[in-house]
């Protein structure tokens, strides 16, 4: 009897577990049923509708702006001969919808399976889009995304998935500087040109994006973010999102290639927040017409930040490999390729703040980028209010290489420098290789305003100390510069920091850093030192500095 009861209990538990994963029978959604393409075309702008069965559209809903509610009811809209179901959606609510489209472009067109221009609330949207573009006369305002061409207002995308492939080929229409022609190309959204909050929650990109002959921002989620100064900025957020698509882009002066956002433009997001996200896609840079890179920027999450004053990444992982090319002021990083504090104008802006917490890079960064780092490739400021770069509890396990400076956390902070730099509880296990400066934490940090004496409006004062605290390197650090080219300022290998400088005052510090020893220093006048190992391990050190580090495995090549 007891055995029989036990068996019944087990069976009941098994049935309960099976039933738990079977969705409950869905009630008929509210609103008017849509059963044909003709009924879809006749929807009122502010009506409430649901799809009663799958439909095929041969024309885009374009007579009015849709501002109503559409429940896809798990059904599918197939697009035949058109690129989008809607021309424009404004403040609408659309959910539980599948879209399928295959379209080959013979001319420049805006493309997004759900809509060209959109704002509103979008939940459980799955788009399978295969767009192939071969036009040779592309217009700069056009953008391509599997779900939306452009988001132009406050929007939330929850549990949205993009599948398929976007390919741009045989396009040679770029100027002599390699400037972008398409406004943005991405798996989910080509371009975000909005005022207000734009949020992605539990979204996935599986689209493979390949932009072979076109210098445009290219990414997994959003190609480019920009806005009009007169309408305010974007509060851009990603939570619990994953990019699985491989991204191939062609470099350009205002171009970025990334798993999440290719370019944060000069008039861009007021805040960019990335939490609990992962990039699994590999990033590959191509050059215009097979030449050298035109200032290419590659990042697992952000390719290039040209204007967002605050970028925050927390509990994120980059697992994608990054392959960069030589050319211009290029940068490649597991999280951010290039971070420039440009702000909202060249003369006034908020301080740029980059914060990375509990972030891990697993991807290798190879090729010939100028600067490369497991978290950030290169940072610099164009802001009278300065910039901050802070990395805490971050780790790099990928191998990193560059043709100038490379580091487990960051390649370079240069040009106008950053006045606050903090690396705390960070760890590098990757092998780091570069000719000018290679180190477990950072290749080169220029602290403060290197051009403070220039008559160009930049003047940073009251700088805080640069801090490297409780950081460890167990990776092999290799400098590759030919022996005949080695000088005091080049050929630097170090366990923690290869080169540190404040060229506005030229101050240097005389010190030696031992394992697990904390040092506090102020300005001195002379420096001959090796940090970790290698040549001139801490070159051009200026300003206050705190170091508490563990260093291993450096060697000269």
């Amino acid at each position: 009897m007891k055995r029989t009861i036990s068996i019944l209990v087990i069976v009941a538990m098994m049935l309960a577990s099976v039933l738990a994963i079977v969705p409950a029978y869905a009630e008929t959604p509210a609103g008017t049923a849509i059963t044909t393409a003709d009924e879809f075309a006749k929807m009122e702008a502010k009506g409430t509708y649901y799809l009663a069965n799958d439909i095929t559209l041969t024309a885009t809903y374009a007579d009015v702006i849709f501002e109503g509610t559409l429940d896809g009811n798990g059904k599918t809209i197939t697009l035949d001969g058109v690129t989008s179901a809607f021309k424009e959606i404004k403040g609408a609510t659309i959910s539980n919808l599948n879209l399928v489209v295959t379209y080959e472009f013979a001319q420049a067109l805006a493309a997004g399976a759900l809509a060209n221009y959109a704002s509103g609330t979008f939940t459980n949207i799955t788009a399978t889009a295969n767009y192939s573009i071969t036009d040779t006369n592309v217009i700069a305002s056009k953008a391509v995304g599997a779900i939306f061409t452009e988001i132009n207002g406050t929007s939330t995308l929850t549990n949205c998935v993009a599948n398929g492939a976007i390919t741009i080929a045989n396009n040679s229409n770029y100027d002599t500087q390699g400037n972008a022609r398409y406004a943005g190309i991405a798996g989910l959204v080509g371009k975000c040109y909005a005022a207000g909050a734009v949020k992605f929650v539990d979204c996935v990109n599986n689209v493979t994006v390949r932009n072979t002959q076109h210098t445009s921002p290219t990414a997994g989620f959003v190609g480019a973010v920009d806005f009009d100064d007169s309408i305010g900025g974007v509060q851009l957020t990603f939570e619990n999102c994953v990019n699985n698509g491989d991204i191939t882009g062609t470099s350009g002066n205002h171009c970025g290639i990334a798993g999440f956002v290719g370019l944060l433009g000069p008039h861009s997001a007021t805040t960019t927040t990335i939490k609990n996200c992962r990039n699994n896609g590999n990033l590959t840079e191509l050059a215009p017409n097979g030449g050298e890179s035109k200032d290419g920027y590659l990042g697992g999450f952000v390719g290039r930040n040209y204007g967002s004053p605050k970028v925050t990444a927390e509990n994120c992982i980059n697992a994608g490999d990054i392959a960069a090319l030589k050319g211009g002021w290029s940068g490649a990083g597991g999280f951010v390729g290039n971070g420039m504090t440009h702000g909202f104008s060249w003369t006034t802006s908020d301080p740029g703040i980059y914060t990375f917490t509990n972030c891990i890079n697993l991807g290798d960064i190879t090729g010939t980028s100028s600067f490369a780092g497991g978290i950030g490739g290169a940072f610099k400021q164009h802001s009278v209010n300065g910039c901050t770069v802070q990395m805490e509890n971050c780790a790099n396990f990928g191998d990193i290489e560059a043709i100038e400076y490379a580091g487990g956390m960051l390649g370079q902070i240069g040009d106008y420098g950053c006045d606050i730099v903090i690396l705390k509880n960070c760890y590098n296990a990757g092998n780091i290789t570069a000719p000018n400066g290679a180190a477990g934490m950072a290749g080169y940090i220029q602290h403060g305003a290197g051009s403070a004496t220039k008559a160009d409006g930049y003047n940073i004062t009251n700088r805080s100390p640069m801090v490297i605290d409780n950081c460890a390197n167990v990776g092999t650090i290799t400098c590759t510069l030919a022996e005949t080219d080695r000088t005091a300022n080049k050929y630097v290998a170090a366990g923690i920091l290869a080169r540190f400088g404040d060229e506005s005052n030229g101050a240097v510090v005389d010190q030696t850093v031992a394992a697990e020893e904390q040092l506090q220093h102020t300005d001195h006048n002379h420096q001959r030192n090796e940090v970790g190992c290698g040549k001139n391990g801490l070159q051009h050190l200026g300003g206050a500095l705190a170091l508490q580090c563990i260093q291993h495995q450096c060697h000269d090549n």
Side-chain angles (χ1 to χ4, degrees):
M1 182 64 179
K2 289 183 179 180
R3 179 179 176 84
T4 301
I5 293 174
S6 298
I7 292 174
L8 289 173
V9 170
I10 293 171
V11 171
M13 292 174 64
M14 293 175 63
L15 287 172
S17 64
V18 171
L19 291 173
I21 63 174
V22 176
Y25 178 77
E27 297 181 358
T28 301
T32 302
I34 299 297
T35 60
T36 67
D38 185 60
E39 292 174 348
F40 183 89
K42 294 178 180 179
M43 292 188 300
E44 295 181 359
K46 296 185 179 181
T48 299
Y49 303 93
Y50 72 92
L51 288 184
N53 48 258
D54 298 342
I55 61 173
T56 297
L57 301 181
T58 57
T60 298
Y61 181 94
D63 292 339
V64 295
I65 297 172
F66 187 73
E67 301 178 68
T69 299
L70 175 63
D71 189 333
N73 195 28
K75 307 303 182 182
T76 299
I77 293 177
T78 299
L79 304 178
D80 183 7
V82 293
T83 64
S84 306
F86 293 89
K87 181 177 181 180
E88 185 169 359
I89 297 168
K90 184 177 180 180
T93 299
I94 298 180
S95 61
N96 309 317
L97 179 63
N98 303 310
L99 300 113
V100 176
V101 58
T102 298
Y103 198 96
E104 293 186 5
F105 293 70
Q107 58 182 346
L109 292 174
L114 183 53
N116 293 144
Y117 307 99
S119 65
T121 301
F122 308 98
T123 307
N124 300 330
I125 307 295
T126 298
T128 301
N130 291 283
Y131 292 126
S132 179
I133 304 152
T134 57
D135 177 51
T136 59
N137 187 26
V138 174
I139 301 172
S141 61
K142 303 301 182 182
V144 179
I147 298 180
F148 296 120
T149 304
E150 178 180 314
I151 289 179
N152 59 3
T154 297
S155 301
T156 299
L157 285 74
T158 304
N159 196 31
C160 293
V161 180
N163 302 312
I166 297 174
T167 302
I168 296 182
N170 301 323
N171 193 305
S172 58
N173 185 20
Y174 60 89
D175 64 28
T176 57
Q177 299 299 315
N179 289 324
R181 285 302 184 204
Y182 254 93
I185 304 163
L188 271 75
V189 180
K191 179 182 179 181
C192 180
Y193 189 89
V198 176
K199 191 171 185 178
F200 297 81
V201 181
D202 299 323
C203 294
V204 178
N205 175 58
N206 296 316
V207 175
T208 298
V209 182
R210 184 169 177 81
N211 173 18
T212 60
Q213 285 292 324
H214 200 104
T215 52
S216 303
T218 308
F221 276 80
V222 180
V225 180
D226 209 345
F227 78 96
D228 187 328
D229 283 335
S230 65
I231 63 176
V234 183
Q235 296 84 53
L236 183 63
T237 302
F238 298 92
E239 291 185 3
N240 307 321
C241 294
V242 179
N243 173 57
N244 294 316
D246 290 341
I247 311 297
T248 299
T250 306
S251 61
N253 189 36
H254 294 289
C255 181
I257 302 165
F260 277 64
V261 182
L263 172 68
L264 293 168
H267 309 283
S268 188
T270 54
T271 62
T272 303
T273 304
I274 307 169
K275 291 185 177 181
N276 306 322
C277 294
R278 183 181 177 107
N279 174 56
N280 295 320
N282 297 323
L283 309 180
T284 303
E285 179 187 10
L286 303 176
N289 282 351
E292 285 194 348
S293 168
K294 298 290 185 179
D295 294 337
Y297 309 107
L298 295 85
F301 291 87
V302 176
R304 186 184 194 190
N305 175 31
Y306 200 59
S308 181
K310 187 174 183 180
V311 177
T312 301
E314 182 178 349
N315 302 328
C316 295
I317 296 174
N318 174 58
D321 293 335
I322 299 174
L325 293 178
K326 175 184 178 181
W329 206 87
S330 56
F335 283 73
V336 175
N338 167 250
M340 176 189 289
T341 307
H342 189 295
F344 302 108
S345 74
W346 282 93
T347 57
T348 60
S349 70
D350 295 328
I353 302 174
Y354 296 89
T355 305
F356 305 91
T357 307
N358 303 329
C359 292
I360 298 174
N361 176 58
L362 303 175
D364 293 337
I365 301 177
T366 59
T368 53
S369 177
S370 299
F371 317 107
I375 304 297
F379 300 92
K380 63 179 179 178
Q381 64 169 314
H382 275 307
S383 167
V384 297
N385 292 329
C387 75
T388 295
V389 175
Q390 180 168 339
M391 301 176 183
E392 186 169 354
N393 302 329
C394 294
N396 172 61
F397 295 91
D399 292 341
I400 312 294
E401 65 179 27
I403 61 169
E404 290 195 41
Y405 295 100
M409 293 298 107
L410 61 91
Q412 185 205 44
I413 294 178
D415 197 1
Y416 296 96
C418 282
D419 48 319
I420 301 175
V421 182
I422 300 173
L423 306 180
K424 186 175 181 180
N425 303 329
C426 293
Y427 177 83
N428 175 63
N431 299 319
I432 313 298
T433 304
N436 292 349
M441 291 296 111
Y444 176 28
I445 295 177
Q446 181 175 321
H447 187 217
S451 300
T453 59
K454 289 185 178 180
D456 55 9
Y458 304 108
N459 186 14
I460 308 300
T461 59
N462 300 320
R463 290 168 301 196
S464 299
M466 195 280 290
V467 176
I468 300 179
D469 184 24
N470 198 36
C471 295
N473 170 62
V474 296
T476 298
I477 313 299
T478 304
C479 282
T480 57
L481 195 65
E483 187 170 354
T484 54
D485 296 328
R486 297 173 183 177
T487 67
N489 295 340
K490 296 183 178 181
Y491 178 53
V492 183
I496 299 298
L497 173 61
R499 184 180 179 192
F500 182 95
D502 182 346
E503 296 174 6
S504 63
N505 61 29
V508 295
V509 168
D510 183 11
Q511 63 174 283
T512 301
V513 178
E516 301 184 85
E517 179 182 3
Q518 182 172 348
L519 298 175
Q520 296 284 345
H521 281 281
T522 56
D523 289 346
H524 291 270
N525 296 317
H526 180 67
Q527 180 267 339
R528 291 300 302 166
N529 165 67
E530 296 180 1
V531 174
C533 47
K535 304 295 184 182
N536 297 321
L538 208 62
Q539 180 68 30
H540 289 293
L541 177 64
L545 175 69
L547 288 174
Q548 183 180 7
C549 308
I550 303 172
Q551 305 140 87
H552 300 284
Q553 298 183 4
C554 304
H555 69 266
D556 306 329
N557 197 32

